[in-house]
Amino acid sequence: MSFTLAIVGRPNVGKSTLFNRLVGKKLALVDDQPGVTRDLREGAARLADLRFTVIDTAGLEDATDDSLPGRMRRLTERAVEMADACLFMVDARAGILPDDEVFADILRKKSAHVILAANKAEGRAAEGGLLEAYSLGLGDPVRMSAEHGEGMTELLDFLRPIAEEGAKAEAAVEDAAPLTNIDVSEDDPDEVRMPTAARPLQVAVVGRPNSGKSTLINQLLGEDRLLTGPEAGITRDAISLPLDWDGMPTRIFDTAGMRKKARVQEKLEKLSVADGLRAVKYAEVVIVLLDAAIPFEQQDLRIADLAEREGRAVVVAVNKWDVEEHKQEKLRELREAFERLLPQLRGAPLVTVSAKTGRGMDRLREAVERAYVTWNARVTTSKLNRWLAGMVEAHPPPAPGGRRIKLRYMTQAKTRPPGFVVMASNPEKLSDSYKRYLVNGLRIDFDMPGTPIRLWFRSQADQNPYKDKKKSTPSRLRKHLGKPSLKE
């Protein structure tokens, strides 16, 4: 990326709409309600032949205290300092408000490159606001409509000189630093694909509101990158951030807190939860974060079960462990409740952490890597069939109607999560209890604790090409039945 562009402005001027248009995807939540965006969201933007990083920010508000708007403003000001250029958006239909003038003065001092954009400028109703924008002293405003894609060519003309300046700076750095430590080794197909910078490990942090998800990610990043506070439900977007986690390239997703479905009434919260569910589907490892004071609530169980049904590797982390007084007794209760309430994740890592103090982060990292390796586990066909023979001998399948179901052959069809196919006679008559017996045996004997295991049964009759064909009548019966033979 040649440069970084931060989109700033008052709430509800269309920053997230423009962000989505530049990245070509509906990544940021958009709603008519002001103040939807609260965290910084980065994306890879494309405008004609330009490639750059764009940052969507929270709406600037005239608050400097420790309130939620004040914390949002400080986070936006930090984005301005990080970016190479700022796109200051105003609402052409609403005109220039006093807050716009205050923020224009701030941007003039903090950023070397400030581009003024008058959004919602389609139609005659925006003419007055467009003329007022000149009074801000930031040069000619770009007349645009982020919703309809108008003004993108004019914006490109403003961005091109900034991109050229960034390209020259990058070229100077590349000339000064020779390429070293280039890995030219080929991947071994029999080995687990470990995360790389090109393909980092995808980790989603999920849980109920106010369980400490954003605080945990800030602790891992080593900076206050995400908005946090005592209020429940601060996070709305599913924000993804790159992280070098003790040498393991990772992309970690912060998600909105998920309440019970019956309590989710507002449209905005429904969008936030849907965004979090989408992050779970794209993740490889899901960290289910619990509150040590009230662990394994009904909603926690639903969230963990969702991750298992999606086939993701699961790590259960219990946060706020620093304020727990009776740690050993509490830990025994947690393990007992985990085994009893989440049998489908039996053996999954259970880690106690403190997002506030950083305690347990090393154990969490080890648990995530262990869960990922198990999720990618592969077992050879010869080992599987020897194991299947032993399981059948120890506990034969049921015999419905007096005919014993035969398990003939087994192979692994996939990984991520591990999936196995068993060839059997009459698989539709196999009981669920016997299937659980085989799944639990796979977990124990092949060291796959906690990871979702998929087991499919196929009938060998499905391989028979003559299965659905009618039997022909024997020639000796044709005369008896009065049917002519082929020779006749």
Side-chain angles (χ1 to χ4, degrees), residues 47 79 164 206-207 221 401 445 457 459:
L47 188 60
E164 292 173 355
V206 299
L221 294 171
D445 296 333
F457 292 86
S459 172

Side-chain angles (χ1 to χ4, degrees), residues 304-352:
D305 185 62
L306 166 70
E308 192 277 336
R309 283 188 283 109
E310 289 292 338
R312 304 295 170 245
V314 178
V315 173
V316 178
V318 183
N319 191 25
K320 306 179 184 178
W321 196 246
D322 54 312
V323 297
E324 184 61 42
E325 296 180 358
H326 308 289
K327 289 182 169 55
Q328 294 302 320
E329 182 181 348
K330 184 71 172 184
L331 186 58
R332 284 194 297 270
E333 293 176 359
L334 288 172
R335 294 189 185 282
E336 185 276 330
F338 186 24
E339 293 289 326
R340 175 170 48 85
L341 298 173
L342 290 171
Q344 68 272 36
L345 292 173
R346 183 175 289 110
L350 177 66
V351 185
T352 56

Side-chain angles (χ1 to χ4, degrees), residues 18 47-48 134 155 192 208 215 243 261 270 290 351 397 451:
L18 178 62
L47 188 60
Y134 284 91
L155 178 60
V192 175
R208 287 182 291 109
T215 306
L243 167 65
K261 191 173 182 180
K270 290 180 180 179
L290 312 181
V351 185
T451 193

Side-chain angles (χ1 to χ4, degrees), residues 218-233:
N218 281 342
Q219 182 65 239
L220 294 175
L221 294 171
E223 57 178 333
D224 292 335
R225 177 65 173 74
L226 298 170
L227 193 63
T228 61
E231 303 91 348

